[in-house]
Amino acid sequence: MNELVLELTEISPREFFGQGNENIDLLKKYFPKLKIVARGNKIKVYGDEELLEEFDKRFDMLTQHFIKYNKIDENSIERVLTSKDSEDYQSPENSGETLVHGVSGRRIKAQTVNQRRLVDAAKKNDMVFAIGPAGTGKTYTGVALAVKALKEKQVKRIILTRPAVEAGENLGFLPGDLKEKLDPYMQPLYDALRDMIAAEKLAHFIENGTIQIAPMAFMRGRTLDNAFVILDEAQNTTHAQMKMFLTRMGKNAKFLITGDPGQIDLPRRTISGLKEALLILQNVSGIEIVYLDDKDVIRHKLVKKVIDAYKTIEHQN
């Protein structure tokens, strides 16, 4: 049996190995045919020569990632171990750009390669589609881009919308005034805004119309200019709704459409406006489509496992 000995010299073994050697356990998961032993600042690996060469390469990528970002976690380890090369998991050099300074001075940045691609796409195009599963930061990154544009006076207002499909957009039977009826459906947008704008200022922006949060039905007949407009949960739009929304675009407007084609809540036999738009607009100049995937999930580590588990049954149907 061949042996490979690796030594950590520039890195704290305790930080790199993780609490209770949890990061080493992850390495064992991805290299089940190798025997991996971590002691002190050394890792000894036993197994076939070809697998040892691959492990050596991946381990070097992990250490370089740690040196650059001063940390590794389950998500970053998975990205490194499943990527073809560093371009697949490392953000460009300017990826440290702070999009906005949020509440309490928190710096809000793109955290993954595809989130960075989304930021770059929004800089170059007036209409961008961000497509990916839950937890990949589509909406959050989009709201950060909108707040940045507002703060830098690139736009005069932010308009956030999503189809209230759970109530069929017929909200009349729900108790309370209009705002009370809409708020449950718009909560994810409020949550993102609260991270980025102080409560008092946010309330003022909503009151004077600088920030508008409304269901799709309220977009009809409007021309949306001088605005950063986000359509969230776009997979739940119909053909008519999507066409209506996209044609609301006015002068000096940025449109960001986010959605997950795997989570459509529309009635059976109703075609998703998002799926249709992705097909017919994919080659239109000035429109860019950015796909996010499991590697971009930044929620609890179990979210990624849930997505993977559901994929298995969805592929069977």
Side-chain angles (χ1 to χ4, degrees):
M1 186 177 284
N2 299 294
E3 179 187 41
L4 172 68
V5 180
L6 300 166
E7 186 174 354
L8 296 175
T9 54
E10 302 176 57
I11 297 172
S12 161
R14 186 175 65 177
E15 291 180 21
F16 187 82
F17 293 165
Q19 187 174 0
N21 277 5
E22 61 184 0
N23 293 337
I24 299 301
D25 291 338
L26 273 173
L27 287 174
K28 290 177 180 178
K29 173 186 168 185
Y30 283 96
F31 290 93
K33 293 183 180 179
L34 295 177
K35 181 181 179 181
I36 303 170
V37 181
R39 286 202 183 100
N41 68 335
K42 291 182 179 179
I43 290 183
K44 292 185 178 181
V45 191
Y46 305 90
D48 292 341
E49 187 173 350
E50 190 175 329
L51 277 175
L52 289 179
E53 287 179 7
E54 177 65 16
F55 183 90
D56 190 19
K57 172 188 169 186
R58 295 290 173 176
F59 190 81
D60 182 60
M61 291 162 75
L62 276 173
T63 55
Q64 292 304 315
H65 185 83
F66 186 93
I67 290 168
K68 183 173 183 179
Y69 297 102
N70 204 32
K71 69 171 186 176
I72 56 170
D73 55 23
E74 183 173 352
N75 286 336
S76 59
I77 290 172
E78 182 172 349
R79 286 197 293 271
V80 170
L81 294 180
T82 58
S83 298
K84 292 179 182 177
D85 52 48
S86 61
E87 288 184 3
D88 283 346
Y89 67 85
Q90 282 187 358
S91 298
E93 288 303 314
N94 64 347
S95 64
E97 174 193 357
T98 298
L99 297 177
V100 290
H101 288 86
V103 176
S104 303
R106 178 185 172 194
R107 294 187 176 190
I108 295 170
K109 309 175 181 181
Q111 296 186 46
T112 69
V113 173
N114 287 326
Q115 287 179 14
R116 183 69 237 166
R117 287 175 181 152
L118 175 55
V119 171
D120 291 340
K123 286 180 181 176
K124 298 171 187 172
N125 301 274
D126 287 337
M127 185 178 291
V128 176
F129 287 78
I131 309 301
T136 51
K138 306 180 299 293
T139 302
Y140 198 83
T141 304
V143 172
L145 286 166
V147 172
K148 175 181 170 67
L150 182 66
K151 286 186 174 182
E152 294 179 355
K153 299 187 176 176
Q154 297 169 10
V155 296
K156 293 181 179 177
R157 54 187 175 153
I158 295 172
I159 299 172
L160 308 173
T161 186
R162 62 191 321 206
V165 70
E166 298 90 339
E169 289 211 309
N170 179 13
L171 302 167
F173 68 90
L174 294 173
D177 61 22
L178 183 61
K179 184 176 184 301
E180 289 171 338
K181 292 175 181 179
L182 295 176
D183 277 357
Y185 304 102
M186 306 299 163
Q187 199 59 51
L189 302 173
Y190 282 114
D191 290 343
L193 285 168
R194 288 189 186 108
D195 274 1
M196 302 173 202
I197 302 174
E200 190 175 320
K201 194 167 187 179
L202 177 58
H204 174 69
F205 280 157
I206 292 174
E207 188 177 342
N208 70 12
T210 301
I211 294 178
Q212 301 170 26
I213 304 175
M216 280 286 290
F218 285 65
M219 297 297 108
R220 195 172 301 279
R222 301 182 64 183
T223 299
L224 307 176
D225 51 15
N226 295 310
F228 197 114
V229 187
I230 299 175
L231 168 56
D232 194 33
E233 299 287 347
Q235 73 275 5
N236 289 325
T237 60
T238 63
H239 160 86
Q241 286 175 325
M242 179 60 82
K243 182 180 177 184
M244 177 273 291
F245 173 78
L246 296 179
T247 54
R248 299 306 93 201
M249 194 173 201
K251 295 177 182 177
N252 189 38
K254 287 271 190 183
F255 271 38
L256 176 65
I257 299 96
T258 74
D260 175 8
Q263 286 192 333
I264 296 172
D265 299 317
L266 291 166
R268 279 188 170 186
R269 299 187 185 88
T270 302
I271 297 172
S272 166
L274 176 64
K275 281 190 170 182
E276 187 179 58
L278 293 176
L279 285 173
I280 64 178
L281 300 176
Q282 59 183 326
N283 296 318
V284 176
S285 177
I287 298 176
E288 186 166 345
I289 301 170
V290 177
Y291 288 93
L292 298 96
D293 55 34
D294 302 359
K295 294 175 187 175
D296 300 294
V297 172
I298 52 176
R299 292 180 183 171
H300 193 284
K301 60 186 179 182
L302 284 176
V303 173
K304 192 174 297 182
K305 294 178 182 177
V306 169
I307 292 170
D308 288 340
Y310 270 91
K311 271 185 181 175
T312 58
I313 63 168
E314 286 166 357
H315 288 162
Q316 290 170 3
N317 294 333

